[in-house]
């Protein structure tokens, strides 16, 4: 009996092996981005001052919006994570593809091992600027963002080619939104989200590299999925808008008042918060788009 993927291919499908080098490059670059984010945001006065200003700006978020962020983040628990892992493994089992199940589950599980290990035992936050309370401890990388992004990447890995568009439609907005919600709820800083995005991307790239080395991935030459193209194009436009908007929201106040003025003047804190949210949105979208692009027209 033909498999679901074989049925989806049709007679025009040409199966060819996929080179693994692209994912090795992505993994190295993503880990490098995570290190760069940590150094610039945590080990510089400018980075700490801007991110603390964004946290103070989040105090101005209305209660309804803050409540929505808290509810979305509260839904991510040990139980919901375990359910996601079981569901991902089940998809692989139903497809009789244990290699995909191992790779996908590994991305989610290792994501938390790496992120929690770095945050709790490895990375430190030096006291470069005056701050009190909960803001003194290290919070990089964000565990919630890592969960959302690794679940998205794992679903892309384990899903059949024909269902990848459905995965993008439902999981991409959720994963991107979680990163932004961590700022709104003041659970994390911008750098925490960006570092988690990069680490999740690196781990997903390593899993893809392993699959490609095993010969588990093949070129797909079937018909193009229009809905998938539309979703991807919308994500690209959203990422560009987020980057531009974040640059304006941070660049204009800094050009007018300088770093000292922005940090000292409470009137700029809302702009800095909005800029951080825009950058968080763009960062998650860029990470997702890089991974999705690396899997473009690939079948399992």
């Amino acid at each position: 009996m033909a498999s679901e993927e074989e049925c989806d291919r049709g007679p025009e499908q040409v199966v060819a092996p996929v080179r693994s080098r692209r994912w090795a490059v992505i993994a190295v670059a993503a880990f490098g981005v995570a290190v760069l984010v940590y150094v610039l945001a945590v080990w510089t006065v400018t980075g700490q001052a801007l991110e603390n200003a964004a946290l103070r700006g989040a105090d101005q978020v209305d209660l309804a919006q803050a409540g929505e962020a808290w509810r979305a983040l509260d839904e991510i628990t040990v139980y919901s994570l375990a359910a996601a892992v079981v569901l991902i493994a089940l998809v692989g089992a139903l497809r009789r593809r244990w290699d995909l199940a191992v790779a996908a589950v590994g991305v989610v599980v290792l994501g938390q091992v790496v992120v929690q290990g770095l945050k709790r035992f490895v990375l430190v936050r030096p006291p470069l600027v005056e701050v009190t309370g909960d803001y003194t401890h290290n919070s990089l990388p964000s565990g919630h963002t890592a969960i959302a992004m690794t679940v998205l990447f794992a679903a892309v890995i384990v899903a059949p080619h024909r269902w990848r568009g459905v995965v993008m439609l439902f999981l991409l907005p959720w994963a991107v939104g979680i990163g932004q919600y961590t700022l709104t709820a003041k659970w994390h800083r911008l750098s925490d989200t960006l570092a988690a995005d990069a680490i999740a991307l690196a781990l997903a790239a390593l899993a893809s590299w392993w699959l490609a080395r095993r010969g588990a991935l093949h070129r797909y030459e079937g018909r193009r999925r229009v809905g998938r193209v539309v979703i991807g194009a919308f994500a690209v436009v959203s990422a560009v808008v987020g980057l531009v908007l974040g640059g304006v929201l941070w660049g204009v106040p800094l050009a007018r008042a300088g770093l000292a003025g922005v940090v000292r003047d409470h009137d700029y804190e809302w702009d800095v918060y909005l800029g951080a949210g825009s950058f968080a949105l763009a960062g998650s979208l860029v990470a997702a788009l890089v991974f999705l692009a690396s899997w473009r027209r690939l079948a399992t």
Side-chain angles (χ1 to χ4, degrees), residues 69 145 175-185 193 273-274 277-278 280-281 284:
T145 301
V176 170
I178 289 297
Q180 196 171 27
Y181 279 147
T182 60
L183 275 68
T184 302
T193 294
Y273 159 72
L274 291 178
S278 296
L281 171 73
S284 296

Side-chain angles (χ1 to χ4, degrees), residues 3-260:
S3 68
E4 180 182 15
E5 200 61 55
E6 289 171 339
C7 293
D8 189 42
R9 285 201 298 262
E12 79 278 14
Q13 178 77 11
V14 177
V15 178
V18 177
R19 293 182 180 180
S20 59
R21 182 180 178 182
R22 74 181 73 174
W23 290 292
V25 173
I26 291 174
V28 172
F31 277 127
V33 169
V35 172
L36 184 63
V37 167
Y38 174 64
V39 171
L40 293 180
V42 179
W43 282 88
T44 66
V45 172
T46 300
Q48 287 199 15
L50 281 174
E51 291 202 305
N52 289 340
L55 285 174
R56 294 192 298 272
D59 288 329
Q60 302 178 39
V61 174
D62 63 74
L63 293 179
Q65 191 174 6
E68 180 182 354
W70 274 78
R71 285 189 296 272
L73 296 173
D74 283 337
E75 289 176 356
I76 299 179
T77 65
V78 173
Y79 303 106
S80 62
L81 178 59
V85 169
V86 170
L87 182 59
I88 288 168
L90 181 61
V91 173
L94 291 174
R95 296 188 63 195
R96 299 180 182 178
R97 293 295 305 273
W98 293 104
D99 52 349
L100 298 180
V102 169
V105 170
V107 170
V108 179
V109 174
L110 283 178
Q112 284 309 290
V113 171
V114 172
V115 165
Q116 298 301 332
L118 289 174
K119 180 166 60 176
R120 298 176 185 274
F121 306 112
V122 178
L123 303 182
V124 296
R125 185 176 182 84
L128 302 182
V129 299
E130 184 177 353
V131 66
T132 59
D134 294 337
Y135 303 151
T136 58
H137 69 279
N138 173 59
S139 57
L140 184 150
S142 164
H144 280 72
T145 301
I147 288 174
M149 295 300 290
T150 53
V151 167
L152 169 64
F153 295 151
V156 170
I157 289 173
V158 80
H161 183 275
R162 65 168 61 182
W163 291 103
R164 204 170 294 160
V166 177
V167 169
M168 293 169 58
L169 179 63
F170 288 99
L171 288 186
L172 181 58
W174 169 75
V176 170
I178 289 297
Q180 196 171 27
Y181 279 147
T182 60
L183 275 68
T184 302
K186 301 179 64 175
W187 286 22
H188 284 285
R189 302 172 175 88
L190 169 62
S191 59
D192 304 346
T193 294
L194 297 180
D197 289 333
I199 291 172
L201 174 59
L203 293 175
L206 289 176
S208 304
W209 174 85
W210 177 72
L211 289 170
R213 296 284 290 181
R214 286 175 51 87
L217 307 180
H218 305 281
R219 300 287 180 185
Y220 178 80
E221 301 295 342
R223 60 188 178 86
R224 180 172 296 181
R225 308 282 178 167
V226 177
R228 199 174 304 175
V229 173
V230 172
I231 294 172
F234 182 77
V236 169
V237 172
S238 298
V240 172
V241 171
L243 288 172
V244 172
L245 185 59
V248 171
L249 288 169
W250 277 19
V252 172
L254 287 172
R256 288 178 177 176
L259 177 64

